[in-house]
Every structure is written in structure tokens, then in C-alpha cells.
Amino acid sequence: MFDLKKFFSKKPSSSDVARDRLKLVLVHDRANCSPELLEMIRGEILEVLEKYVNIDSSKLDIRISNHEREFDGKPALIANIPITSMKRGQNN
Amino acid sequence: MGEVIVITSGKGGVGKTTTTANIGAGLVNLGKKVVVIDADIGLRNLDVVLGLENRIVYDLVDAVTGECKIKQALIKDKRFDGLYLIPAAQTKDKDSVSEQQMVDLCNELRETHDYILIDCPAGIEQGFKNAIAGADKAIVVTTPEVSAVRDADRIIGLLEAAEIENPRLIVNRIRPDMVRRGEMMDLADMKDILAIEVLGIVPDDENVVISTNRGLPTVADEASFSGQAFRNIALRITGQEVPLMDLELDNTVMGKIKRLFGIGK
């Protein structure tokens, strides 16, 4: 049966929603790490880095991933931290 | 030497017991000698699914504690020659059996049978640990739901930690019509997320309810769609290569009639 309402709606299908929710929940399950814990780790990493460099926090990406090939599906902390400039006084 | 396979899922109600009964009967129909063990002490069910509830004298706890000989606890299924059930104890608790006792039981049974299938209780506590203690291999049953797949993932991790390598997945109760509409996760999604080998897919089929009402495994029903799925799974367990079922089969009454006559998909 052709469902016009569904055809015109932009809502993703419920199976896509299920898959995405599942993936997200498993990232935390597998890493045994809650979003709160990740937030704490992120905060402390930045605190240390900010002593030495300036960071573009809008492009910051810190997460736990299970999909990194080189880690064989095991959870890995992936951090992409763009540095805008070195802090003064670090080079001497 | 027989092989000990535990059938587990984490979450309850996904069809472990039905799967155990059907794989057991399916293997017997392939000429194998099979024992199915209900490890769900306190909540036994495999006996009623197999229609053997009136024949219980001794149970799993009696067998492992030496109350009776193991042979006495084996209930012979008269309809499937070569199928035996060891029922769970209904009035005792999960700590009535130890992991070592399960290992010993499995080792004794594998001397005389081709396959020992253990129906694992839901959960990850002692009952689960007992059920997997003597197992060489594991089958993880799930359904296409977030909660069931999540629990399956946890179970896969625990099985690997217990050094039961390469568990295989059965996705139960797939509804092809819902998958087609995008309202149910499909096999590719689950395979991708859980990253384990797929042993089989079983469509949601009212025949399972009907045959369970009668205490007969669906696998014996030649015309049923899910019965075919379980027959395929049994074949794969014996090492035969059988392609996964086409769930897009026409499963209407007319389609079934056509199939009976060998025409149509």
C-alpha cells in the first residue's frame, strides 16, 4: 500500500531510529562508560591541553568509538582537537 | 564425542525455549541423538513446549546431585526417536546446581549423544553462568528490537569473556512486511551492529503459537515457514551450507497452497 503521508513526511523510518539509538546505547555499554563519565574525561583532557595550546572548541570531537579498524572493534577514545595556536612562552 | 551448545539471549521472551526445542527436534530428524537440557531452574518451560510435562519423574537437580542416575532423568520423546529432555527443577532455586556439576553432566552426556543443547535462563546471573559452564559453543537468540539486541550484545561479551568463542546469532520473529516498510530493523542492521556470524533467521509465524499449544515443535510441520527456518538451522549446525531463507516468500494462505503444490515462491 502506498502511504502518501509517509511519502511527504521527512520523519526517518522507525527502523532507522531504532538502529541509531541502538548504536548509541551500545557505544556506552561496550565502553562501560556513561555520557557523564565521558563528559568528565573530556573536561579534564581540555583542562590539561589548554595550559599549553589554544583550542578551537567549536570543532572539537571527543568520543568513544567501536568502529576503528585498527582497534579490532574494541572501544577506543577518539579525540580530534583542533589547535588554533600555541600558547605564548611554550617554545622556549 | 558430542557437542554441547548453549542457547542464550540475555533478555527473556525472545524465544530461547522454542528455539531449543525446534533445533533439538530438527537435529533428531537429521538422524542425530540429542539431549535438550532446561537450565532455567525454578521456571521450567521446555517440558511444556515439547509436550513432555506429564512424564517428569526426575529433574536436572536430581541428576547432578546423584539423587538419580543421569539416565533416569532423561525423558525420551516418543515422537522424535533420539530426542531426550532433562527438565529443570521447578521447586528449587538456581543455586541448587554448581558450574562444576554442569560441566560434569555435559561431559557424561557427550559420550553417548551427538548434541547436548542447553536452554539458558534469561539474565546474566548464576543461572546463566551454570548454563554456559559446560558449553563448547553458543547460539545467541534475539529479536529485531533495540532492547533484545542490546542484551544480545552484552551476552556476546560475556560469552567471549568465558572463552566460548564465536557465538552465532539467530534473529527470531522477523516480520518481512514491517522490514519492507522500514518499521523494523533488518538482518543487515543487526549483523553489522553485533558483528557475529548469523546462524539463521526465523520469521514471525503464528504456527509457532499453534504448535506450542499442542506441545509439538514447529520443525515437524512441513508446511510451516518457521519450521523450514528451524530445519535450515539444524542443517547448518551439522555443518551443511544452507543459504538464508528468503523472507519475502509469499506467506499468504494462497501462497502456502501454491507452495504445497510446488508452484510459486
Side-chain angles (χ1 to χ4, degrees):
Chain A
M1 221 182 345
F2 187 69
D3 193 339
L4 266 183
K5 221 163 88 188
K6 214 175 267 170
F7 186 76
F8 286 112
S9 83
K10 286 222 173 71
K11 255 174 43 188
S13 74
S14 73
S15 65
D16 290 340
V17 176
R19 192 185 51 229
D20 293 343
R21 289 177 58 218
L22 186 57
K23 279 187 175 165
L24 197 64
V25 85
L26 287 183
V27 167
H28 298 301
D29 282 6
R30 286 177 184 165
N32 201 8
C33 167
S34 66
E36 291 80 24
L37 182 62
L38 187 62
E39 206 44 56
M40 281 166 63
I41 295 174
R42 183 211 289 264
E44 283 183 38
I45 289 176
L46 292 185
E47 214 171 279
V48 172
L49 288 175
E50 276 169 347
K51 282 194 215 162
Y52 306 101
V53 292
N54 292 312
I55 289 163
D56 180 359
S57 52
S58 66
K59 292 190 183 125
L60 195 67
D61 177 24
I62 298 178
R63 66 199 148 82
I64 287 180
S65 164
N66 293 301
H67 303 289
E68 305 306 310
R69 188 159 293 176
E70 61 261 51
F71 297 116
D72 213 13
K74 295 196 176 69
L77 182 72
I78 306 294
N80 281 310
I81 306 170
I83 298 168
T84 49
S85 62
M86 302 302 283
K87 283 211 168 152
R88 225 175 277 235
Q90 293 304 319
N91 287 333
N92 43 27
Chain B
M1 275 293 259
E3 195 169 84
V4 183
I5 306 173
V6 62
I7 290 134
T8 179
S9 69
K11 188 175 177 298
V14 297
K16 277 181 300 294
T17 303
T18 311
T19 302
T20 308
N22 277 292
I23 293 177
L27 285 167
V28 166
N29 283 344
L30 297 172
K32 306 292 180 191
K33 245 183 123 183
V34 181
V35 185
V36 290
I37 302 176
D38 190 345
D40 200 351
I41 294 167
L43 289 169
R44 87 171 159 219
N45 273 323
L46 189 53
D47 55 334
V48 285
V49 171
L50 281 168
L52 297 172
E53 66 273 21
N54 293 327
R55 309 236 336 261
I56 296 173
V57 181
Y58 296 109
D59 57 41
L60 177 62
V61 176
D62 298 326
V64 299
T65 54
E67 282 294 309
C68 69
K69 289 186 183 129
I70 290 175
K71 227 176 165 180
Q72 287 176 297
L74 291 171
I75 302 170
K76 185 173 161 40
D77 192 322
K78 288 171 183 156
R79 302 153 309 173
F80 296 93
D81 189 24
L83 182 62
Y84 298 86
L85 165 72
I86 299 183
Q90 183 70 330
T91 52
K92 302 189 174 103
D93 66 51
K94 294 203 194 304
D95 300 321
S96 328
V97 177
S98 73
E99 292 175 43
Q100 188 55 46
Q101 284 172 328
M102 285 301 289
V103 174
D104 295 342
L105 175 71
C106 292
N107 285 339
E108 190 164 340
L109 288 170
R110 74 166 96 223
E111 299 289 329
T112 43
H113 298 80
D114 299 312
Y115 291 97
I116 295 98
L117 305 179
I118 302 172
D119 182 16
C120 181
I124 53 174
E125 296 84 20
Q126 194 55 46
F128 167 76
K129 290 177 190 156
N130 288 342
I132 68 166
D136 311 313
K137 292 188 175 174
I139 295 172
V140 177
V141 183
T142 190
T143 56
E145 289 158 84
V146 177
S147 53
V149 179
R150 180 194 200 177
D151 289 1
D153 186 76
R154 183 103 168 82
I155 286 294
I156 293 165
L158 292 172
L159 288 168
E160 277 166 6
E163 286 173 359
I164 301 177
E165 303 291 333
N166 302 323
R168 290 185 288 177
L169 184 71
I170 292 179
V171 183
N172 195 16
R173 293 204 205 112
I174 295 185
R175 286 189 49 185
D177 54 325
M178 289 188 73
V179 174
R180 210 180 310 130
R181 290 202 308 267
E183 308 287 16
M184 183 177 270
M185 284 187 287
D186 66 9
L187 182 68
D189 292 338
M190 285 173 278
K191 204 178 156 186
D192 172 42
I193 289 169
L194 294 175
I196 64 171
E197 190 190 332
V198 175
L199 179 64
I201 45 176
V202 183
D204 191 29
D205 183 357
E206 60 180 41
N207 285 312
V208 173
V209 180
I210 296 168
S211 59
T212 308
N213 287 344
R214 298 187 197 285
L216 250 173
T218 329
V219 76
D221 182 356
E222 282 296 325
S224 105
F225 205 31
S226 55
Q228 184 61 50
F230 284 120
R231 286 193 288 280
N232 289 350
I233 289 169
L235 281 168
R236 289 187 200 110
I237 289 174
T238 64
Q240 286 197 46
E241 299 239 351
V242 186
L244 285 177
M245 265 174 104
D246 181 4
L247 292 185
E248 293 299 324
L249 265 176
D250 182 4
N251 206 33
T252 57
V253 175
M254 205 49 215
K256 281 182 189 163
I257 294 171
K258 279 186 190 162
R259 266 212 305 288
L260 271 179
F261 287 98
I263 50 169
K265 220 180 158 188

